[in-house]
């Protein structure tokens, strides 16, 4: 299965949207564009994550141990290093570090500190990994029948509780399940009614994208409940999109690079909003001097981190994987995870 470079473009744009939401002024405050940009970035990031993870497990349902090894070596080392620096070295809060290590931070508001608030999303992702991994371990590919059921249950629960955007896993993980649905449809795109559905959705890319944008704004409260559904539509339609300027744009080499360091960008960037780089002083100096420095440092540290700490542990994970499980004849996933 070929590498889908367009997905690197989606990953890059999603992390850039999050960075912009946290580090830049996006229009007048009354327009609330920073909130919308962050919500859009996370929706795309979550959907892409669900798509890639589900693709891997669908193709290799017998390789659950390697799956958990890969995910752990990809996520944990950098997360724990960053969490220790901020929670312990800066704040001397071992309780916050414990919440990070146990992936309970998104349920423990008292432990969420400046510089750590973004880590709620890693908790949501890891809870998804555990659920989907154990589901496929127990039931094989039949376990994927639970994906649309869980997606619908969470959608109805959010509507019942009025949760348009929330950091609790049971009120947010449907954005990742949206990517799972896209992967299941894509894997079965050549069979019967799924082929027709796949192509029908594919014809409406710009409609779905417009609806996704609208569903990320707080003024569209009713539409916000369906943000995960629009994320599913956008990802599915993109995969069916004809070759043209959009696909060429998403394959841009700069996006491939940004996608490669995206996890580190996400983890490190709040560190450079603390201390002297915080919002003290005049707004002019803050936005013209401090924020450019913060953005520059974020990219430099992310590049170094990706090519040292993360690369070491990912290579270590591959070595452990070879010892734990022999190579599978099934195809590997088609994008970076």
């Amino acid at each position: 299965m070929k590498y889908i470079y367009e997905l690197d473009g989606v990953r890059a744009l999603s992390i850039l949207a999050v960075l912009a939401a946290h580090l830049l002024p996006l229009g007048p405050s009354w327009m609330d564009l920073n909130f919308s940009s962050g919500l859009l970035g996370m929706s795309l990031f979550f959907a892409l994550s669900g798509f890639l993870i589900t693709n891997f497990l669908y193709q290799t349902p017998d390789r659950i141990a390697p799956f958990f090894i890969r995910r752990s070596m990809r996520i944990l080392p950098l997360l724990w290093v960053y969490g220790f620096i901020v929670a312990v070295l800066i704040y001397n809060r071992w309780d916050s570090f414990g919440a990070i290590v146990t992936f309970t931070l998104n349920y423990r508001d008292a432990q969420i500190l400046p510089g750590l608030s973004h880590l709620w999303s890693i908790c949501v992702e890891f809870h998804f990994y555990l659920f989907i991994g154990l589901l496929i371990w127990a039931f094989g590919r039949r376990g994927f029948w639970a994906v649309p059921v869980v997606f619908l249950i969470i959608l109805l629960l959010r509507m019942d509780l009025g949760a348009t955007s929330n950091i609790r896993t049971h009120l947010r993980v449907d954005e990742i399940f949206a990517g799972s649905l896209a992967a299941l449809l894509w894997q079965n795109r050549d069979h019967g009614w799924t082929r027709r559905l796949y192509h029908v959705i594919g014809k409406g890319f710009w409609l779905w994208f417009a609806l996704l944008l609208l569903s990320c704004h707080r003024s569209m409260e009713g539409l916000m409940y369906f943000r995960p559904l629009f994320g599913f539509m956008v990802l599915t339609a993109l995969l069916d999109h004809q070759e043209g300027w959009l696909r060429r744009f998403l394959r841009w080499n700069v996006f491939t690079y940004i996608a490669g360091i995206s996890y580190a960008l996400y983890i490190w960037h709040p560190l450079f909003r603390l201390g002297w780089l915080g919002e003290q002083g005049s707004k002019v100096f803050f936005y013209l001097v401090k924020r450019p420095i913060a953005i520059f440092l974020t990219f430099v540290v992310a590049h170094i981190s990706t090519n040292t700490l993360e690369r070491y542990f990912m290579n270590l994970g591959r070595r452990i994987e070879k010892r734990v499980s022999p190579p599978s004849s099934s195809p590997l996933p088609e994008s970076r995870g």
Side-chain angles (χ1 to χ4, degrees):
M1 187 171 296
K2 69 176 183 178
Y3 189 97
I4 304 178
Y5 285 94
E6 289 85 350
L7 298 186
D8 279 348
V10 175
R11 183 183 296 277
L13 290 174
S14 67
I15 187 60
L16 290 176
V18 172
L19 293 181
H22 293 168
L23 298 176
L24 298 174
L26 300 178
S29 58
W30 62 267
M31 295 182 69
D32 208 16
L33 295 181
N34 283 73
F35 175 82
S36 297
S37 179
L39 206 55
L40 174 65
M42 286 311 307
S43 294
L44 291 173
F45 210 89
F46 275 156
L48 183 58
S49 178
F51 179 85
L52 295 173
I53 294 305
T54 301
N55 265 331
F56 178 83
L57 291 176
Y58 192 91
Q59 297 168 47
T60 58
D62 57 331
R63 292 176 63 78
I64 301 303
F67 164 71
F68 281 120
I69 292 170
R70 288 188 184 197
R71 287 294 86 197
S72 297
M73 289 299 178
R74 181 72 178 94
I75 299 295
L76 301 187
L78 179 58
L79 174 68
W80 290 351
V81 166
Y82 178 84
F84 184 80
I85 290 172
V86 177
V88 178
L89 298 185
I90 294 180
Y91 291 109
N92 193 28
R93 288 284 298 271
W94 285 95
D95 58 335
S96 293
F97 183 63
I100 294 168
V101 170
T102 57
F103 297 99
T104 57
L105 187 67
N106 63 325
Y107 284 94
R108 297 169 65 179
D109 293 345
Q111 280 70 49
I112 298 177
L113 307 170
L116 298 178
S117 57
H118 65 308
L119 298 183
W120 67 267
S121 65
I122 309 300
C123 298
V124 175
E125 283 223 36
F126 216 82
H127 296 160
F128 171 79
Y129 299 157
L130 290 174
F131 176 83
I132 199 73
L134 294 176
L135 184 72
I136 304 309
W137 173 77
F139 299 104
R141 279 187 179 171
R142 291 174 298 174
F144 286 117
W145 284 103
V147 169
V149 176
V150 174
F151 177 83
L152 182 60
I153 290 173
I154 296 174
L155 173 61
L156 295 175
L157 180 63
R158 289 198 303 111
M159 294 177 71
D160 181 59
L161 297 177
T164 54
S165 62
N166 200 287
I167 67 172
R168 313 301 191 207
T169 299
H170 67 287
L171 297 175
R172 192 61 177 268
V173 76
D174 53 340
E175 290 186 335
I176 306 182
F177 276 103
S180 288
L181 286 174
L184 295 177
L185 183 58
W186 189 73
Q187 288 286 347
N188 295 278
R189 64 193 182 279
D190 296 324
H191 306 289
W193 66 270
T194 55
R195 175 176 14 181
R196 293 191 294 273
L197 178 61
Y198 177 73
H199 292 306
V200 167
I201 295 174
K203 293 177 181 178
F205 174 81
W206 293 110
L207 171 62
W208 312 133
F209 186 67
L211 289 171
L212 177 62
L213 289 178
L214 290 173
S215 69
C216 290
H217 199 277
R218 267 191 278 233
S219 64
M220 300 289 179
E221 185 172 344
L223 205 61
M224 289 181 75
Y225 293 116
F226 300 99
R227 187 176 61 256
L229 179 62
F230 299 141
F232 157 74
M233 296 290 199
V234 166
L235 197 52
T236 299
L238 174 62
L239 293 167
D240 189 53
H241 206 72
Q242 297 297 315
E243 177 65 28
W245 71 266
L246 178 61
R247 296 189 78 105
R248 291 194 297 271
F249 173 69
L250 292 174
R251 293 196 298 264
W252 194 20
N253 289 338
V254 172
F255 289 157
T256 301
Y257 168 72
I258 294 174
I261 64 171
S262 59
Y263 178 59
L265 286 172
Y266 183 75
I267 292 294
W268 286 111
H269 79 274
L271 179 64
F272 304 109
R273 299 170 59 188
L274 303 177
W276 180 82
L277 289 171
E279 299 186 18
Q280 306 89 341
S282 69
K283 283 191 175 182
V284 173
F285 186 75
F286 174 68
Y287 285 119
L288 295 184
V289 178
K290 290 186 179 182
R291 276 299 153 87
I293 292 174
I295 293 170
F296 174 75
L297 290 176
T298 296
F299 274 85
V300 169
V301 173
H303 176 86
I304 295 172
S305 171
T306 300
N307 290 284
T308 54
L309 177 70
E310 292 174 70
R311 178 173 293 179
Y312 171 80
F313 279 101
M314 289 176 70
N315 289 335
L316 176 61
R318 293 186 184 99
R319 294 195 294 271
I320 295 173
E321 180 184 336
K322 289 179 181 179
R323 295 179 183 179
V324 170
S325 177
S328 170
S329 59
S330 302
L332 294 175
E334 70 292 337
S335 182
R336 20 179 132 241

